[in-house]
Amino acid sequence: MRDQVIRRAFHQTILKSAHEDADTLVVDELGLKNGEVRADIAVLNGKLVGYEIKTQNDTLIRLSSQVEAYSEVFHKAYVILSNNHLKKALDCIPDWWGIYTINPEPEGAYSFSCYRDARLNKNQNTFTLAQLLWKVEALEVANVLLHHNVRAKTSKREIYEVISGTCSKRKLSKIIIQY
């Protein structure tokens, strides 16, 4: 059971309608916290939804740091995992996270069962959200949308601080989705 095979099957089944929606962006390997952590799959459409894949061959060693990063960014988050990880994952992930289990099917196919639906996360972090923007985008957001006067030579960190200090999570989430 390889990550790429599971990812492809998940895209073709659970995320099929998201791919067919012109207003939805589905991204593989979305960098969070300036690339420190990567979301396996992100779906952007009015809300930011992240998916982390854990196949039977994976370990859960990095899951706690992934949970922390996902919790700062996404409105909803899911873990897609093999049944051998379910018990341990339940101890690691917040109760607002959703869970899909991976079901091996004949001839190398996979299906997915929703073990638990995700609920809305209320703990997003505006600084971490701002880090989803490239520097040029962050500069534009700060100066054009938020009416600051930030110079181009200002560091990314300082631009993110300006944005996160003057923009609500809700407004910034909408801006991120537009970009």
Side-chain angles (χ1 to χ4, degrees):
M1 181 183 313
R2 292 186 23 240
D3 178 274
Q4 292 295 17
V5 174
I6 299 301
R7 182 188 309 258
R8 188 176 327 110
F10 198 77
H11 279 289
Q12 293 170 348
T13 57
I14 303 300
L15 298 180
K16 183 178 186 204
S17 63
H19 282 284
E20 294 171 348
D21 184 344
D23 295 325
T24 300
L25 179 63
V26 180
V27 179
D28 282 331
E29 300 294 328
L30 178 67
L32 310 177
K33 300 182 91 162
N34 278 333
E36 289 178 28
V37 175
R38 293 205 175 277
D40 285 328
I41 304 170
V43 177
L44 315 172
N45 179 358
K47 299 252 183 278
L48 302 164
V49 182
Y51 297 86
E52 180 60 34
I53 300 169
K54 297 295 181 190
T55 67
Q56 69 185 32
N57 300 326
D58 288 325
T59 68
L60 300 185
I61 292 170
R62 296 180 310 146
L63 187 58
S64 62
S65 63
Q66 291 165 323
V67 165
E68 181 183 322
Y70 277 48
S71 297
E72 292 180 18
V73 172
F74 293 111
H75 292 100
K76 291 184 176 184
Y78 288 88
V79 63
I80 306 161
L81 49 72
S82 295
N83 284 313
N84 65 312
H85 292 311
L86 183 58
K87 186 176 185 314
K88 190 169 182 181
L90 286 167
D91 294 335
C92 299
I93 60 173
D95 61 0
W96 63 268
W97 274 56
I99 300 170
Y100 279 97
T101 56
I102 302 166
N103 307 309
E105 302 287 338
E107 300 179 25
Y110 294 93
S111 65
F112 304 90
S113 299
C114 186
Y115 179 85
R116 179 171 80 193
D117 276 325
R119 294 194 320 258
L120 198 59
N121 172 23
K122 299 182 195 249
N123 298 311
Q124 291 170 292
N125 179 296
T126 53
F127 185 86
T128 309
L129 280 168
Q131 287 180 309
L132 292 173
L133 298 167
W134 294 101
K135 182 178 180 180
V136 68
E137 295 170 333
L139 199 55
E140 182 178 331
V141 167
N143 291 335
V144 177
L145 298 178
L146 301 177
H147 310 293
H148 290 282
N149 189 18
V150 180
R151 297 182 343 169
K153 66 180 182 180
T154 304
S155 73
K156 282 192 305 187
R157 179 169 187 75
E158 290 172 307
I159 299 169
Y160 297 149
E161 286 172 356
V162 167
I163 292 170
S164 65
T166 58
C167 195
S168 71
K169 291 183 267 190
R170 184 182 184 141
K171 182 176 181 178
L172 186 53
S173 291
K174 288 180 181 181
I175 291 168
I176 298 293
I177 290 167
Q178 290 173 349
Y179 276 82

